[in-house]
Amino acid sequence: MNLNEFESQYRDAMVETLNELQTAMLLLAQAQRKISQIGSSVQGLSQSVEEYINNQKPE
């Protein structure tokens, strides 16, 4: 393998690795957004249940 072949292989590997990193970062951002949405849903559900329980208690 000569220097030009080595350089070409190195550059191709770097491009592929950087693309994979970018994909992983996008997936992480999507997962973080989904976790936040789920957290909001759980919080809303918890508030609804608490309100229902409090309304069912005799005064």
Side-chain angles (χ1 to χ4, degrees):
M1 174 185 308
N2 64 33
L3 181 59
N4 287 337
E5 292 170 337
F6 179 78
E7 181 182 13
S8 177
Q9 286 183 4
Y10 162 77
R11 290 185 187 279
D12 290 345
M14 285 299 292
V15 166
E16 182 178 346
T17 301
L18 290 171
N19 285 339
E20 290 175 356
L21 179 59
Q22 184 178 28
T23 299
M25 292 184 69
L26 290 171
L27 289 170
L28 176 59
Q30 289 175 344
Q32 288 173 325
R33 190 168 42 254
K34 190 63 170 178
I35 289 168
S36 179
Q37 290 171 348
I38 292 168
S40 294
S41 295
V42 169
Q43 186 176 19
L45 178 59
S46 177
Q47 287 174 350
S48 295
V49 170
E50 288 291 327
E51 288 174 13
Y52 176 78
I53 290 170
N54 287 333
N55 288 336
Q56 297 303 310
K57 292 180 180 178
E59 294 185 26

